[in-house]
């Protein structure tokens, strides 16, 4: 049974297969084709946090390929103490081909994968956002032609998005530099696992945002306070102020560099309008590609044979 609890679960070959399935379904969609590849299939989404892109891109992906979906909050699913996680997972798994979760704890996703008996997809947890990272690699391939020799400078919090992006970069041979303020870096445990998994990986860790972006093909950022960290917003605003992506920081990057953001963005905090709406920004393309890569993920989890 295939699952995507985090990027660490995938191999380089798995990523390539997902990206290739995503590319072919996007090409068919562009021709107006909606092949019923998922007819009779059922996806259940169980979310503990809000979502625009992840929820709608997965639901649209299934609908366009002929399948169906049901969305539940964690409370509606009974995870607020009504039933055990194992029972909820087993029951939902008996109705579904995939369960997409959005949770605080990573353990909850892993429990779903253990008990559901169907494929489980992490649609974001506090420690991982693999669907975003896969989709971002897909977008980079579209924009640059390939990932060969490319590098990402991630400026900001060492959060779920940064972690999954770093692992995706390791899997696909992309350089990854992260600039974070003191106290908000990727955790030591995570960095040790990253280095152990990718001993030849091109990773750099710094606190200097200008140094990070000087050779980057992509300048990437995310919110300073993630979902669940709202009470830290003011504290984080002070620590992260020098890490804002604005015109001045973009001018320290190569002229061809693109700006990426997983969205939602807090305008005038981690990024200015000038950059997010500017000519280097590919944030809306990133969001649009979530749906195409959701299709690749769903097909790959079913071990779909494109031949
Ligand atoms: N990027 C992303 O996952 O967006 P949502 O939180 O809206 O799903
Ligand atoms: N780091 C953000 C990503 C949102 C898509 C969060 O977890 O809120």
């Amino acid at each position: 049974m295939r699952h995507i609890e985090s990027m660490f679960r995938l191999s380089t070959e798995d990523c390539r297969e997902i990206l290739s399935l995503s590319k072919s379904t996007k090409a068919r969609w562009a021709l107006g084709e909606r092949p019923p590849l998922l007819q009779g299939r059922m996806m259940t989404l169980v979310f503990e946090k809000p979502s625009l892109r992840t929820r709608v891109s997965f639901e649209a992906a299934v609908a366009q390929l002929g399948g169906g979906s049901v969305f539940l909050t964690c409370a509606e699913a009974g995870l607020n103490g009504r039933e055990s996680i194992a029972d909820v997972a087993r029951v939902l798994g008996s109705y579904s081909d995939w369960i997409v979760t959005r949770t605080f704890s990573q353990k909850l996703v892993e429990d779903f994968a253990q008990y559901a008996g169907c494929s489980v997809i992490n649609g974001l947890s506090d420690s991982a956002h693999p669907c975003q990272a896969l989709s971002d690699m897909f977008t980079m391939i579209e924009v640059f032609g390939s990932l060969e020799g490319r590098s990402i400078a991630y400026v900001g919090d060492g959060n779920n998005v940064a972690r999954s992006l770093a692992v995706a970069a390791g899997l696909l041979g992309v350089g990854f530099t992260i600039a974070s303020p003191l106290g908000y870096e990727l955790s030591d445990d995570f960095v040790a696992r990253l280095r152990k998994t990718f001993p030849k990986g091109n990773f750099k860790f710094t606190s200097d945002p200008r140094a990070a972006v000087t050779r980057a093909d992509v300048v990437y950022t995310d919110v300073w306070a993630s979902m669940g960290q709202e009470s830290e917003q003011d504290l984080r605003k002070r620590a992260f102020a020098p890490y804002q992506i604005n015109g001045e920081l973009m001018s320290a990057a190569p002229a061809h560099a693109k700006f990426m953001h997983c969205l939602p963005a807090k305008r005038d905090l981690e990024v200015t309008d000038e950059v997010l709406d500017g000519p280097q920004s590919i944030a809306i393309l990133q969001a649009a590609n979530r749906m195409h890569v959701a299709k690749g993920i769903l097909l790959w989890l079913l071990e779909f044979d494109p031949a």
Side-chain angles (χ1 to χ4, degrees):
M1 180 67 61
R2 289 177 168 178
H3 304 289
I4 306 181
E5 303 98 323
S6 82
M7 285 305 298
F8 282 119
R9 184 57 128 95
L10 300 175
S11 67
T12 299
E13 190 49 34
D14 294 339
C15 293
R16 293 214 174 107
E17 286 174 18
I18 292 168
L19 296 175
S20 160
L21 286 165
S22 308
K23 185 177 174 185
S24 54
T25 53
K26 183 170 181 179
R28 294 185 73 174
W29 176 85
L31 295 172
E33 293 179 27
R34 305 285 190 276
L37 303 174
L38 300 180
Q39 193 164 28
R41 300 288 186 171
M42 163 69 181
M43 177 178 68
T44 304
L45 302 102
V46 183
F47 278 35
E48 204 173 12
K49 295 171 172 174
S51 170
L52 178 70
R53 282 143 288 268
T54 305
R55 174 182 178 177
V56 182
S57 66
F58 270 107
E59 294 210 42
V62 157
Q64 289 182 10
L65 298 181
S69 61
V70 164
F71 178 88
L72 298 169
T73 62
C74 275
E76 284 166 333
L79 292 170
N80 53 356
R82 184 167 184 256
E83 289 190 64
S84 75
I85 293 166
D87 288 351
V88 171
R90 287 188 193 109
V91 171
L92 290 179
S94 73
Y95 309 142
S96 314
D97 296 286
W98 321 265
I99 297 174
V100 185
T101 62
R102 170 163 287 205
T103 58
F104 289 97
S105 87
Q106 179 67 21
K107 183 166 183 308
L108 193 49
V109 189
E110 285 166 15
D111 287 347
F112 263 99
Q114 182 180 345
Y115 297 112
C118 73
S119 287
V120 171
I121 304 163
N122 182 354
L124 184 145
S125 66
D126 283 350
S127 57
H129 198 2
C131 304
Q132 183 71 50
L134 286 164
S135 185
D136 291 340
M137 292 294 156
F138 181 84
T139 300
M140 283 181 66
I141 294 169
E142 268 193 352
V143 168
F144 296 112
S146 87
L147 296 175
E148 184 85 45
R150 298 297 174 184
S151 66
I152 301 169
Y154 179 100
V155 177
D157 190 23
N159 63 13
N160 43 10
V161 169
R163 291 161 66 108
S164 290
L165 208 53
V167 183
L171 285 165
L172 293 167
V174 173
F176 183 84
T177 298
I178 179 164
S180 309
L182 201 68
Y184 297 98
E185 301 96 335
L186 290 167
S187 72
D188 291 346
D189 284 358
F190 174 80
V191 172
R193 186 172 180 195
L194 192 67
R195 289 204 189 279
K196 194 168 169 221
T197 311
F198 307 107
K200 295 189 182 146
N202 178 11
F203 303 112
K204 294 195 187 76
F205 307 91
T206 175
S207 56
D208 181 346
R210 285 185 80 84
V213 305
T214 42
R215 284 169 206 216
D217 299 293
V218 163
V219 177
Y220 199 120
T221 196
D222 183 17
V223 289
W224 293 340
S226 286
M227 291 179 276
Q229 298 172 332
E230 290 77 7
S231 65
E232 296 175 33
Q233 185 77 257
D234 288 342
L235 185 72
R236 285 172 173 262
K237 259 189 214 171
R238 285 191 289 276
F240 282 93
Y243 293 78
Q244 183 185 65
I245 314 289
N246 48 37
E248 196 195 327
L249 187 60
M250 282 307 285
S251 71
H256 74 270
K258 300 295 182 196
F259 170 73
M260 294 179 77
H261 192 309
C262 56
L263 302 178
K266 286 264 188 273
R267 288 168 178 266
D268 285 328
L269 291 184
E270 77 272 6
V271 62
T272 58
D273 289 347
E274 174 193 20
V275 173
L276 187 53
D277 301 330
Q280 287 167 285
S281 175
I282 53 171
I284 298 298
L285 176 63
Q286 275 177 270
N289 277 336
R290 290 291 308 274
M291 181 181 77
H292 302 293
V293 177
K295 290 177 184 169
I297 289 169
L298 295 172
L299 291 167
W300 180 80
L301 287 166
L302 295 179
E303 305 190 35
F304 178 79
D305 181 359

